């Protein structure tokens, strides 16, 4: 009788495994993260770092955290990587269908409502903290969405493990009369602050500037922190034979191709129709 | 404390130990030893300082690097330094590397029931002029080895050393034909700790690397990523 949502059948078994059998819970890939959004005179600037962590290890040193919801509505995500990707992906689909059926270009507040209602239904189990920003026909908008489903509308926002480092920069540098270049530079500095001071954030800076009917995505706009500083001159050389060959099995490719004549004629019939 | 679903929640208890992260490694050759450690000190997701030394030169022929809790590293190094000085003044000569290794082991075991949260590696030149590396656990188990890595990046570094120094899982080169030169070892150590800095969030900022041979100790410092 369960109609979608999460399946909790294994919950009790998992709890027992952890307590009695000393089972180690597998780590999820989190996006540690520093994400930032700032409203300026003509639009919104979103920024994010590019490090995805799995515990203390960097799983992806250059991932993309700014997701497209629609052409001029973008969303930066912090928290569990799978959750942010799938949540933003789903809402992007829903928004497209909605805008096609209503015949109107999508609004940021619609994406906001879809996201917050979705996350609230899961009571925080979907660990997605989002910074939603965009420009629609009603103007520029910037919102923050917490995993439990609460939202805030603010002129500048930071989320993720590096949010404190970023917010320190935003609070110092923000003013309500900023232009595009100032806003871009502020977001850049805020993300850099997160990258340098927070261990869960790192890699490159990604920026996204959204104005009326215009979107510019600056992927890896700043890569000064992700350069490897030392590399051995002599490369690691493994001559052939380093790995012991225990068994050899060679399959002839031709054997796998089977030309079925019947199927060809079926296709011809369909084409005639 | 039981929740409504019946599972028990463990109340988090105060612990005297914290982990400040960081990685250390050492490699021994026929007549030299290379020892290195990063200098980042972290707590949780924050960086407390980008430069906090984990390395101590005990004698011209012997050094130690430690990872773990900075407070215990600092104290252990302080005690070790003073004990080495006392020995030198009493016996009129500096401590041999073997003696230092044994001393570290005893100092650690002395605290068997409230250990130093330190994972140490001692490296240097022994009395015959041969490079040596000693690795320890928190309570002083002593083992002489050819190379060792400890700390948060140890699981990233050790397999590289296994393959490149001990030639494990390699059928293209035989142990008899392989000579570990000083330049090769230095490059390998630098490369290994740089690679650890790429993938371990607790390793980064700066590296203190020192080469110990018959002529003494040569210390160097280089940069890692700051993110």
């Amino acid at each position: 009788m369960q109609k979608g949502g999460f399946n909790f059948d294994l919950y009790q078994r998992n709890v027992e495994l952890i307590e009695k059998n000393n089972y180690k819970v597998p780590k999820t890939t989190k996006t540690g993260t520093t994400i930032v959004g700032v409203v300026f005179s003509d639009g919104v600037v979103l920024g994010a770092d590019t490090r995805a962590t799995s515990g203390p290890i960097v799983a992806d040193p250059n991932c993309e955290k700014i997701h497209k919801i629609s052409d001029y509505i973008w969303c930066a995500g912090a928290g569990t990587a799978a959750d942010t990707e799938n949540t933003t992906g789903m809402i992007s689909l829903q928004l497209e269908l909605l805008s096609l059926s209503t015949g109107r270009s999508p609004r940021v507040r619609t994406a906001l409502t879809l996201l917050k209602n979705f996350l609230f239904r899961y009571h925080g189990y979907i660990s997605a903290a989002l910074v939603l920003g965009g420009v629609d026909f009603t103007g520029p908008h910037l919102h923050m969405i917490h995993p439990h489903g609460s939202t805030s509308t603010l002129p500048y926002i930071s989320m993720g493990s590096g949010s404190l480092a970023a917010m320190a920069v935003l609070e110092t540098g923000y003013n309500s009369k900023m232009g595009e270049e100032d806003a871009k530079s502020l977001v850049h500095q805020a993300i850099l602050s997160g990258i340098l001071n927070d261990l869960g954030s790192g890699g490159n800076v990604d920026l996204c500037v959204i104005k009326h009917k215009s979107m510019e995505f600056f992927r890896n706009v700043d890569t000064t922190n992700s350069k490897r500083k030392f590399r051995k001159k002599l490369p690691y050389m493994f001559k052939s034979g380093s790995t012991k060959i225990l068994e050899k099995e060679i399959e002839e490719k031709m054997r796998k191709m089977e030309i079925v004549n019947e199927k060809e004629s079926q296709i011809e019939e369909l084409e005639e129709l | 404390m039981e929740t409504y679903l019946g599972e028990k929640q463990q109340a988090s208890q105060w612990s005297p130990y914290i982990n400040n992260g960081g990685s250390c490694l050492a490699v021994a050759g026929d007549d030299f030893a290379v020892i290195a450690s990063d200098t980042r000190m972290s707590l949780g997701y924050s960086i407390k300082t980008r430069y906090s030394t984990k390395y101590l030169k005990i004698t011209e022929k012997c050094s130690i690097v430690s990872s773990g809790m900075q407070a215990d590293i600092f104290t252990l190094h302080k005690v070790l330094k003073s004990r080495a000085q006392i020995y030198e003044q009493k016996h009129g000569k500096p401590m041999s590397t073997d003696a230092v290794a044994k001393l570290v082991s005893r100092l650690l075991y002395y605290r068997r029931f409230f250990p130093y949260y330190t994972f140490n590696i001692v490296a240097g030149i022994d009395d015959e002029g041969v490079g040596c590396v000693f690795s320890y656990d928190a309570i002083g188990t002593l083992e002489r080895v050819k190379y060792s890595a400890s700390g948060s990046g140890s699981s990233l570094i050790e397999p590289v050393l296994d393959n490149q120094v001990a030639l494990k899982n390699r059928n293209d080169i035989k142990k008899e034909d392989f000579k570990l030169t000083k330049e090769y070892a230095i490059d390998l150590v630098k490369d290994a700790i740089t690679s650890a800095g790429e993938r371990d969030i607790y390793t980064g900022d700066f590296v203190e690397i020192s080469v110990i041979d018959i002529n003494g100790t040569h210390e160097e410092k280089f940069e890692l990523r700051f993110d």
Side-chain angles (χ1 to χ4, degrees), chain A residues 39-91:
Chain A
V39 180
F40 66 98
S41 52
D42 304 321
V44 172
V45 182
L46 296 177
D49 73 305
T50 62
R51 174 182 282 183
T53 53
S54 183
I57 303 294
V58 177
D60 187 349
N62 200 193
C63 70
E64 276 190 44
K65 299 188 190 180
I66 303 181
H67 312 282
K68 178 173 154 175
I69 306 282
S70 83
D71 285 337
Y72 308 111
I73 304 174
W74 290 68
C75 184
T80 305
D83 290 342
T84 57
E85 297 236 8
N86 287 303
T87 305
T88 52
M90 260 176 26
I91 265 67

Side-chain angles (χ1 to χ4, degrees), chain A residues 11 51 56-59 195-196 198-199 203 226 228-230 232 236-239 241-242 244, chain B residues 7 40 42 45 47 50 163-164 170-172 187 190-191 195 198-201 223-227:
Chain A
Y11 180 75
R51 174 182 282 183
I57 303 294
V58 177
I195 287 172
L196 289 169
D198 175 42
L199 294 174
S226 63
R228 192 188 164 105
K229 296 203 172 168
F230 175 84
K232 202 156 81 97
Y236 292 97
M237 294 292 293
F238 296 97
K239 291 178 228 149
S242 329
K244 221 173 164 182
Chain B
E7 83 269 21
R40 175 178 282 176
S42 344
Y45 273 122
I47 298 177
R50 295 198 193 272
N163 183 265
Q164 296 291 314
R170 288 181 74 166
N171 296 302
D172 61 338
D187 262 356
K190 282 184 170 176
D191 215 41
S195 302
E198 297 282 310
R199 290 282 175 170
D200 177 29
I201 61 178
E223 279 185 11
L224 287 182
R225 284 167 69 141
F226 288 126
D227 64 357

Side-chain angles (χ1 to χ4, degrees), chain A residues 58-132:
Chain A
V58 177
D60 187 349
N62 200 193
C63 70
E64 276 190 44
K65 299 188 190 180
I66 303 181
H67 312 282
K68 178 173 154 175
I69 306 282
S70 83
D71 285 337
Y72 308 111
I73 304 174
W74 290 68
C75 184
T80 305
D83 290 342
T84 57
E85 297 236 8
N86 287 303
T87 305
T88 52
M90 260 176 26
I91 265 67
S92 163
L93 281 173
Q94 287 178 17
L95 204 66
E96 166 119 27
L97 289 172
L98 196 66
S99 83
L100 284 168
S101 78
T102 57
R104 291 170 170 75
S105 62
R107 302 183 208 195
V108 180
R109 71 209 306 201
T110 317
L112 177 72
T113 311
L114 289 170
L115 284 164
K116 74 173 352 183
N117 288 344
F118 176 74
L119 290 173
F120 178 69
R121 259 178 33 229
Y122 289 93
H123 289 288
Y125 281 101
I126 294 190
S127 180
L130 310 166
V131 172
L132 175 70

Side-chain angles (χ1 to χ4, degrees), chain B residues 41-58:
Chain B
M41 182 183 148
S42 344
L43 188 59
Y45 273 122
S46 307
I47 298 177
K48 288 294 160 190
T49 176
R50 295 198 193 272
Y51 183 78
S52 169
T53 187
K54 295 201 261 284
Y55 160 83
L56 174 72
K57 187 172 92 166
I58 305 164

Side-chain angles (χ1 to χ4, degrees), chain B residues 58-120:
Chain B
I58 305 164
T59 69
E60 279 304 314
K61 299 224 171 112
C62 180
S63 301
I64 183 173
V65 285
S66 320
S67 64
M69 185 165 101
Q70 187 56 35
D72 279 352
I73 293 171
F74 180 80
T75 307
L76 179 67
H77 285 194
K78 196 172 81 163
V79 170
L80 196 55
K81 192 171 180 181
S82 106
R83 289 297 293 262
Q85 230 177 8
I86 291 167
Y87 180 104
E88 193 168 334
Q89 285 162 1
K90 251 194 195 167
H91 297 85
K93 62 170 177 137
M95 274 181 97
S96 68
T97 305
D98 288 295
V100 171
K102 203 64 189 278
L103 176 63
V104 171
S105 172
R106 279 200 302 106
L107 286 172
L108 292 170
Y109 197 77
Y110 186 66
R111 291 278 297 256
R112 171 68 179 83
F113 298 110
F114 185 9
Y116 286 113
Y117 191 150
T118 57
F119 300 99
N120 307 285

Side-chain angles (χ1 to χ4, degrees), chain A residues 3 25 68 98 102 105 110 123 130 140 167 204 207 219 233 256 263 272:
Chain A
K3 279 186 188 177
V25 184
K68 178 173 154 175
L98 196 66
T102 57
S105 62
T110 317
H123 289 288
L130 310 166
M167 188 48 87
N204 312 121
L207 282 181
R219 170 81 173 141
K233 278 175 233 113
K256 286 200 169 176
K263 281 194 176 167
E272 279 171 356

